[in-house]
Coordinates of all heavy atoms in Angstrom, one line a residue:
T960 N -41.6 5.8 -4.0 CA -41.3 4.5 -4.7 C -41.2 4.8 -6.2 O -41.5 5.9 -6.7 CB -42.5 3.5 -4.4 OG1 -43.7 4.1 -4.8 CG2 -42.5 3.2 -3.0
P961 N -40.7 3.8 -7.0 CA -40.6 4.0 -8.4 C -42.0 4.4 -9.0 O -43.0 3.8 -8.7 CB -40.2 2.6 -8.9 CG -39.5 2.0 -7.8 CD -40.2 2.5 -6.6
A962 N -42.0 5.5 -9.7 CA -43.3 6.2 -10.1 C -44.1 5.3 -11.1 O -45.3 5.5 -11.2 CB -42.9 7.5 -10.7
E963 N -43.4 4.4 -11.8 CA -44.1 3.6 -12.8 C -45.1 2.6 -12.1 O -46.1 2.2 -12.7 CB -43.1 2.9 -13.7 CG -42.2 3.8 -14.5 CD -41.0 4.2 -13.7 OE1 -40.9 3.9 -12.5 OE2 -40.1 4.8 -14.3
S964 N -44.7 2.2 -10.9 CA -45.5 1.2 -10.2 C -46.6 1.9 -9.4 O -46.4 2.1 -8.2 CB -44.6 0.3 -9.4 OG -45.4 -0.6 -8.6
Q965 N -47.7 2.2 -10.0 CA -48.6 3.2 -9.4 C -49.5 2.5 -8.3 O -50.0 3.2 -7.4 CB -49.4 3.8 -10.4 CG -48.5 4.6 -11.4 CD -49.3 5.6 -12.2 OE1 -50.5 5.7 -12.3 NE2 -48.5 6.5 -12.9
D966 N -49.6 1.2 -8.3 CA -50.4 0.5 -7.3 C -49.7 0.7 -5.9 O -50.4 0.7 -4.9 CB -50.5 -1.0 -7.6 CG -51.5 -1.3 -8.6 OD1 -52.3 -0.3 -8.9 OD2 -51.5 -2.4 -9.2
A967 N -48.4 0.9 -5.9 CA -47.7 1.1 -4.7 C -48.3 2.3 -3.9 O -48.3 2.3 -2.7 CB -46.2 1.4 -5.0
F968 N -48.7 3.3 -4.6 CA -49.3 4.5 -3.9 C -50.5 4.2 -3.1 O -50.8 4.9 -2.1 CB -49.4 5.7 -4.9 CG -48.1 6.3 -5.2 CD1 -47.3 5.7 -6.2 CD2 -47.6 7.4 -4.5 CE1 -46.1 6.3 -6.6 CE2 -46.4 7.9 -4.8 CZ -45.6 7.3 -5.8
R969 N -51.3 3.3 -3.6 CA -52.5 2.9 -2.9 C -52.1 2.3 -1.5 O -52.7 2.6 -0.5 CB -53.2 1.8 -3.7 CG -54.7 1.7 -3.4 CD -55.4 0.7 -4.4 NE -55.4 1.2 -5.8 CZ -56.3 2.0 -6.2 NH1 -57.3 2.5 -5.4 NH2 -56.3 2.4 -7.5
L970 N -51.1 1.5 -1.5 CA -50.6 0.9 -0.3 C -50.1 1.9 0.7 O -50.4 2.0 1.8 CB -49.5 -0.2 -0.6 CG -49.1 -1.0 0.6 CD1 -48.7 -2.4 0.2 CD2 -47.8 -0.4 1.3
I971 N -49.2 2.8 0.1 CA -48.6 3.9 1.0 C -49.7 4.7 1.6 O -49.7 5.0 2.8 CB -47.7 4.8 0.1 CG1 -46.5 3.9 -0.5 CG2 -47.1 5.9 1.0 CD1 -45.8 4.7 -1.6
R972 N -50.7 5.1 0.7 CA -51.8 5.9 1.2 C -52.6 5.4 2.3 O -53.1 6.1 3.1 CB -52.7 6.1 -0.1 CG -53.6 7.4 0.0 CD -52.8 8.6 0.0 NE -53.5 9.7 -0.6 CZ -53.0 10.9 -0.6 NH1 -51.9 11.2 0.1 NH2 -53.7 11.9 -1.1
Q973 N -52.7 4.0 2.3 CA -53.5 3.4 3.3 C -52.9 3.5 4.7 O -53.5 3.2 5.7 CB -53.8 1.9 3.0 CG -54.9 1.8 1.9 CD -54.9 0.4 1.3 OE1 -54.0 -0.5 1.6 NE2 -55.8 0.2 0.3
H974 N -51.6 3.8 4.7 CA -50.8 3.7 6.0 C -50.4 5.1 6.5 O -50.0 5.2 7.7 CB -49.6 2.9 5.8 CG -49.9 1.4 5.6 ND1 -50.2 0.6 6.7 CD2 -49.9 0.6 4.6 CE1 -50.4 -0.6 6.3 NE2 -50.3 -0.6 5.0
T975 N -50.5 6.1 5.7 CA -50.0 7.4 6.2 C -50.7 8.6 5.7 O -51.2 8.6 4.5 CB -48.4 7.6 5.9 OG1 -48.0 8.8 6.4 CG2 -48.2 7.5 4.4
T976 N -50.7 9.7 6.5 CA -51.3 10.9 6.1 C -50.3 11.9 5.7 O -50.6 13.1 5.4 CB -52.1 11.5 7.3 OG1 -51.3 11.7 8.4 CG2 -53.4 10.7 7.6
T977 N -49.0 11.5 5.7 CA -48.0 12.4 5.1 C -48.3 12.7 3.7 O -48.5 11.8 2.9 CB -46.5 11.8 5.3 OG1 -46.2 11.7 6.7 CG2 -45.5 12.6 4.6
P978 N -48.3 14.0 3.2 CA -48.7 14.3 1.8 C -47.6 13.7 0.9 O -46.4 13.7 1.2 CB -48.7 15.8 1.8 CG -48.9 16.2 3.2 CD -48.2 15.2 4.1
L979 N -48.1 13.2 -0.3 CA -47.3 12.5 -1.2 C -47.1 13.4 -2.5 O -48.1 13.9 -3.0 CB -47.8 11.2 -1.6 CG -48.0 10.2 -0.4 CD1 -48.7 8.9 -0.8 CD2 -46.7 9.9 0.3
A980 N -45.9 13.4 -3.0 CA -45.7 14.1 -4.3 C -45.0 13.2 -5.2 O -44.0 12.5 -4.8 CB -44.8 15.4 -4.1
V981 N -45.3 13.2 -6.5 CA -44.7 12.4 -7.5 C -44.9 13.0 -8.9 O -45.8 13.8 -9.1 CB -45.2 10.9 -7.4 CG1 -46.5 10.7 -8.1 CG2 -44.2 9.9 -8.0
G982 N -44.1 12.6 -9.9 CA -44.4 12.9 -11.3 C -43.3 13.6 -12.0 O -43.5 14.0 -13.2
E983 N -42.1 13.8 -11.5 CA -41.1 14.5 -12.2 C -40.6 13.7 -13.4 O -40.0 14.2 -14.3 CB -39.9 14.8 -11.3 CG -39.1 13.7 -10.8 CD -38.0 14.1 -9.8 OE1 -38.3 14.7 -8.8 OE2 -36.8 13.8 -10.2
V984 N -40.9 12.4 -13.4 CA -40.6 11.5 -14.6 C -41.8 11.3 -15.5 O -41.7 10.5 -16.5 CB -40.0 10.2 -14.2 CG1 -38.7 10.4 -13.4 CG2 -41.0 9.3 -13.4
F985 N -42.9 11.9 -15.3 CA -44.1 11.7 -16.1 C -44.1 12.5 -17.4 O -43.6 13.6 -17.4 CB -45.4 12.0 -15.3 CG -45.7 11.0 -14.2 CD1 -46.7 11.3 -13.3 CD2 -45.0 9.9 -14.1 CE1 -47.0 10.4 -12.3 CE2 -45.3 8.9 -13.1 CZ -46.3 9.2 -12.2
N986 N -44.7 12.0 -18.4 CA -44.6 12.6 -19.7 C -46.0 13.0 -20.3 O -46.1 13.7 -21.3 CB -43.9 11.7 -20.8 CG -42.5 11.4 -20.3 OD1 -42.2 10.2 -20.1 ND2 -41.7 12.4 -20.1
S987 N -47.1 12.6 -19.6 CA -48.4 13.0 -20.2 C -49.4 12.8 -19.1 O -49.2 12.3 -18.0 CB -48.8 12.1 -21.4 OG -49.4 10.9 -21.0
I988 N -50.6 13.3 -19.4 CA -51.7 13.3 -18.5 C -52.1 11.8 -18.2 O -52.6 11.5 -17.1 CB -53.0 14.0 -19.1 CG1 -54.0 14.4 -18.0 CG2 -53.6 13.3 -20.2 CD1 -55.0 15.4 -18.4
W989 N -51.8 10.9 -19.1 CA -52.1 9.5 -18.9 C -51.2 8.9 -17.8 O -51.7 8.0 -17.0 CB -51.9 8.7 -20.2 CG -52.9 9.1 -21.2 CD1 -52.7 10.0 -22.2 CD2 -54.3 8.7 -21.3 NE1 -53.9 10.2 -22.9 CE2 -54.8 9.4 -22.4 CE3 -55.1 7.9 -20.5 CZ2 -56.2 9.3 -22.7 CZ3 -56.4 7.7 -20.9 CH2 -56.9 8.4 -22.0
D990 N -50.0 9.4 -17.6 CA -49.2 9.0 -16.5 C -49.7 9.4 -15.1 O -49.5 8.8 -14.1 CB -47.8 9.5 -16.6 CG -47.1 9.0 -17.9 OD1 -47.4 7.9 -18.3 OD2 -46.2 9.8 -18.4
C991 N -50.5 10.5 -15.2 CA -51.0 11.1 -13.9 C -52.4 10.7 -13.6 O -52.9 10.8 -12.5 CB -51.1 12.6 -14.1 SG -49.6 13.4 -14.7
K992 N -53.1 10.1 -14.6 CA -54.5 9.9 -14.5 C -55.0 9.1 -13.3 O -55.9 9.6 -12.5 CB -55.0 9.2 -15.8 CG -56.5 8.9 -15.8 CD -56.9 8.3 -17.2 CE -56.9 6.8 -17.2 NZ -57.7 6.1 -16.3
D993 N -54.4 7.9 -13.1 CA -54.9 7.1 -12.0 C -54.5 7.6 -10.6 O -55.3 7.6 -9.6 CB -54.4 5.7 -12.1 CG -55.0 5.0 -13.4 OD1 -56.0 5.5 -13.8 OD2 -54.4 4.0 -13.8
L994 N -53.3 8.2 -10.5 CA -52.8 8.7 -9.2 C -53.7 9.9 -8.8 O -54.1 10.0 -7.6 CB -51.4 9.1 -9.3 CG -50.4 8.0 -9.4 CD1 -49.0 8.5 -9.6 CD2 -50.4 7.0 -8.2
I995 N -54.0 10.8 -9.7 CA -54.8 11.9 -9.4 C -56.3 11.6 -9.2 O -56.9 11.9 -8.2 CB -54.7 13.0 -10.5 CG1 -53.2 13.6 -10.4 CG2 -55.7 14.2 -10.3 CD1 -52.9 14.6 -11.6
G996 N -56.8 10.8 -10.2 CA -58.2 10.4 -10.2 C -58.6 9.7 -8.9 O -59.7 9.8 -8.4
N997 N -57.7 8.9 -8.4 CA -58.0 8.1 -7.2 C -57.5 8.9 -5.9 O -57.5 8.3 -4.8 CB -57.3 6.7 -7.2 CG -58.0 5.9 -8.3 OD1 -59.2 5.8 -8.4 ND2 -57.2 5.4 -9.2
Q998 N -57.0 10.1 -6.1 CA -56.5 10.9 -5.0 C -55.5 10.2 -4.1 O -55.5 10.1 -2.9 CB -57.7 11.4 -4.1 CG -58.6 12.4 -4.9 CD -59.8 12.8 -4.2 OE1 -60.6 12.0 -3.6 NE2 -60.0 14.2 -4.1
L999 N -54.5 9.6 -4.9 CA -53.5 8.8 -4.2 C -52.3 9.7 -3.9 O -51.3 9.3 -3.2 CB -53.1 7.6 -5.0 CG -54.2 6.6 -5.3 CD1 -53.7 5.5 -6.1 CD2 -54.7 6.1 -3.9

Side-chain angles (χ1 to χ4, degrees):
T960 55
E963 299 86 350
S964 177
Q965 300 199 346
D966 283 345
F968 284 84
R969 202 175 292 279
L970 187 145
I971 300 167
R972 200 63 151 174
Q973 282 164 0
H974 289 281
T975 180
T976 55
T977 292
L979 303 173
V981 79
E983 65 181 62
V984 298
F985 288 171
N986 302 118
S987 88
I988 198 167
W989 295 97
D990 296 332
C991 313
K992 181 176 91 61
D993 293 340
L994 291 175
I995 292 173
N997 294 308
Q998 294 178 308
L999 298 179

